[in-house]
């Protein structure tokens, strides 16, 4: 573990999918700013001003809009923001999506990090054109208890597995199942579903601090 101050120079880029505490921690960002961070923060367009109000210089804030690709300076990585439905699409007054996922095209392959999202009607159709090698999808789902505690839902294990398979992805990295005790999921549900329905498809559960090396087939 490391403090916000210690992280000020660790990262070249941080991509934030939306303005929820576990995706854009305002306390951490403010402390990084005070420590003189050189990190560039990529955020959905509606939250660009929030970042400068937290002390991040405007030149270190990139305001992302859905389906408008951009390159990370000094790298060969191209990022395409895509909409996320958490649990619905939400927009600012100008029609910009407030929840995003990110598609990263790199020399080693193409990865999709969905952020928080449920499935929308044309999700597979919208995403299949990217030909993902890796998909990072939440599996904590949604249920009556969480809805009545105002906890916004995500994909569940079966939905994540089905979407990854239908998109033809090589590797599924499940996420958002172990961050909060009140909003987690048993990863064995995904393992069982993959075993029964997609025994030829790859998935991997990351553990804290793990370095996972992926080699494209």
């Amino acid at each position: 573990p490391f403090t916000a101050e210690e992280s000020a120079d660790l990262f070249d880029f941080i991509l934030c999918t939306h303005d929820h505490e576990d995706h854009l921690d305002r306390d951490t960002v403010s402390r990084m700013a005070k420590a003189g961070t050189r990190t560039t923060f990529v955020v959905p367009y509606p939250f660009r001003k929030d970042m400068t109000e937290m002390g991040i210089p405007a030149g270190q804030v990139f305001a992302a809009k859905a389906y408008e690709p951009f390159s990370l300076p000094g790298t060969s990585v191209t990022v395409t923001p895509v909409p996320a439905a958490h649990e619905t699409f939400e927009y600012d007054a100008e029609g910009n999506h407030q929840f995003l996922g990110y598609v990263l095209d790199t020399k080693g392959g193409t990865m999709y990090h969905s952020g928080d999202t449920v499935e929308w009607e044309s999700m597979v159709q919208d995403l299949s054109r990217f030909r993902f090698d890796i998909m990072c999808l939440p599996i904590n789902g949604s249920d009556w208890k969480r809805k009545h505690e105002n906890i916004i839902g995500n994909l569940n294990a079966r939905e994540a597995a089905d979407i990854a398979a239908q998109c033809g992805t090589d590797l599924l990295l499940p996420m958002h199942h172990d961050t909060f005790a009140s909003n987690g999921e048993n990863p064995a549900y995904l393992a069982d579903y993959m075993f029964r329905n997609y025994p030829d498809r790859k998935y991997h559960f990351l553990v804290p601090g793990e370095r996972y090396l992926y080699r494209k087939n």
Side-chain angles (χ1 to χ4, degrees), residues 53 59 61 63 116 118-119:
E53 290 173 357
V61 178
D116 283 347
V118 298
E119 184 178 2

Side-chain angles (χ1 to χ4, degrees), residues 139-141 143 146 176-186:
I139 63 167
N140 59 303
D143 53 46
R146 277 181 278 200
H176 217 310
H177 56 88
D178 61 351
T179 308
F180 303 104
S182 61
N183 191 20
E185 186 56 276
N186 184 345

Side-chain angles (χ1 to χ4, degrees), residues 26-47:
R26 290 171 176 261
D27 177 63
T28 297
V29 171
S30 297
R31 290 166 59 190
M32 290 178 68
K34 291 178 181 178
T37 185
R38 293 192 295 271
T39 300
T40 295
F41 290 83
V42 177
V43 298
Y45 186 87
F47 305 117

Side-chain angles (χ1 to χ4, degrees), residues 158-173:
R158 292 185 300 174
E159 291 167 335
D162 291 338
I163 290 167
Q166 290 178 43
C167 287
T169 193
D170 183 46
L171 172 69
L172 170 61
L173 295 181

Side-chain angles (χ1 to χ4, degrees), residues 55-75:
I56 301 298
Q60 293 171 225
V61 178
F62 185 89
K65 293 185 178 183
Y67 297 119
E68 294 189 6
F70 59 92
S71 297
L72 297 180
T75 77

